[in-house]
Amino acid sequence: VSVPEVANDADAVCNDGTPGVYYWSPASCPNSSKWLVFLGSGGWCWDAESCSERWPSSLSSKDYPDIETYDPDSIMGNHSPFHNYNRVYLRQCSSDAWMGDIGKNQSVGQVHWRGARIVRATLRHLVVDRGLAEAELLVFGGASAGARGAMVHLDTLKKFGLVPLKLPVLGLLDSPYYIEMPSFQNLTTAKNNYNLQTQLVAKNMHNEAILRGGGACNLAEAWKCGFGQYRVPLLKTPFLLIDSQYDAYGIATYEGLAHWIGTQHCYPEPQGAHYSFAGAFAGRVYVGLTTLPQVVRKTSGLYSTTCNQHAESEHGVFGKQKMSGISMADAAEQAVDAFMNPGKKMMPYVVDDTCAVLNCGQYCLSKIKADCGVGLR
């Protein structure tokens, strides 16, 4: 696995000005013309304070290894249904969920926000130099911040000439589904409020044109074009959406927690209030996901657990955890099959509607300490 720089665009840079890069793994089958382009996770920042709190590896490519290794059961691993695809993984170093294109001198964050430019430069490079121009299929997606970025770019790839018009494109979005709701116990800072974060991103990155995607999103408020609850229902490109109803990152953000609940940490006291909020969050997510127009029409797929998880496609859970005998990897394979055989195969609909509390599914590989609110979940 090599780490090419995105050398065809000098402005496709990380927060600190080092080059944006991607990891390239050719298909195990030499003649494969199928591609996976996956945008990495890593959150974002929206002003100078939030950017200053980012960990150094999120700001720069200078310490990226020449060889990237993946869990074999992750989406990039050798057990993945995409192992026989040409696989491209972009590590995020732009702190903008791949939605920015503004230089440091214009940035209130005092960093380069160039994620959108990195995505576009990478795709152009793959078309010209790697063979994407002759591909028979592109699966384009991401996890967490990468999924939100993929969500914004998905319907624009052909519109902006980034990939050939004839190329079939399927989205694979893992955990992009932000929802708008009051934060826990009226926490009011942007750190604890997804919609406020997204509003500040739209304002401070001056990225309305990117969010709207040349007419792909015409919502009255531009920030909503970068917000899962409002943007996913508008997508025209078929996709598979993977999203836990109890998204661990989403709940932790709204509740102002320094750590996710899990094997090391419980909810602070009173734990009951936290579980109640998590249940309300999950209820809203469930309704939003299961009523998506593309899912209702069966033109797109859905995989949604009640596990205490987030963006697991980058980890072994993607292939190992099975709900009703079906893993996320299985659902991805089924989505590709249905997309390539319309009318003959069905998009996956794998949704846990039997558990009403956090992490109650026996299949969940995520674990919570036994003494974390026993009797409250």
Side-chain angles (χ1 to χ4, degrees), residues 256-269:
L257 302 179
H259 304 282
W260 297 357
I261 185 175
T263 57
Q264 301 297 318
H265 303 280
C266 295
Y267 283 139
E269 297 292 348

Side-chain angles (χ1 to χ4, degrees), residues 20-38:
V21 301
Y22 65 84
Y23 285 86
W24 154 255
S25 184
S28 56
C29 300
N31 297 322
S32 175
S33 57
K34 297 178 180 179
W35 287 73
L36 170 69
V37 175
F38 204 73

Side-chain angles (χ1 to χ4, degrees), residues 151-332:
M151 170 190 74
V152 166
H153 294 292
L154 187 59
D155 284 346
T156 74
L157 301 183
K158 296 180 182 180
K159 182 190 297 283
F160 293 159
L162 300 172
V163 300
L165 286 173
K166 65 180 181 180
L167 176 60
V169 177
L170 174 68
L172 200 165
L173 309 175
D174 179 4
S175 307
Y177 198 75
Y178 277 10
I179 59 167
E180 188 172 8
M181 66 182 293
S183 295
F184 179 69
Q185 295 183 343
N186 298 315
L187 294 171
T188 58
T189 66
K191 291 180 181 179
N192 310 119
N193 193 298
Y194 275 150
N195 51 302
L196 181 54
Q197 286 181 22
T198 312
Q199 289 173 42
L200 288 171
V201 163
K203 175 184 176 183
N204 293 340
M205 294 186 190
H206 306 289
N207 63 347
E208 181 170 351
I210 294 169
L211 294 174
R212 293 199 178 280
C217 177
N218 292 313
L219 296 172
E221 298 174 87
W223 70 269
K224 291 185 176 180
C225 295
F227 198 84
Q229 178 182 355
Y230 303 116
R231 184 58 177 271
V232 172
L234 304 180
L235 293 177
K236 299 291 191 292
T237 306
F239 59 83
L240 170 65
L241 177 60
I242 300 173
D243 215 287
S244 173
Q245 296 153 46
Y246 284 90
D247 183 90
Y249 181 68
I251 291 171
T253 297
Y254 272 127
E255 293 190 351
L257 302 179
H259 304 282
W260 297 357
I261 185 175
T263 57
Q264 301 297 318
H265 303 280
C266 295
Y267 283 139
E269 297 292 348
Q271 292 189 43
H274 289 272
Y275 280 112
S276 294
F277 182 90
F281 175 97
R284 293 191 184 209
V285 172
Y286 174 83
V287 171
L289 296 179
T290 56
T291 59
L292 285 169
Q294 306 95 323
V295 171
V296 173
R297 293 194 302 264
K298 301 181 181 180
T299 57
S300 293
L302 176 63
Y303 189 99
S304 180
T305 73
T306 54
C307 302
N308 181 49
Q309 294 171 349
H310 174 77
E312 295 295 347
S313 58
E314 294 186 324
H315 309 288
V317 169
F318 177 72
K320 291 177 180 176
Q321 179 176 281
K322 291 182 179 287
M323 175 172 57
S324 301
I326 302 172
S327 68
M328 299 174 202
D330 296 332

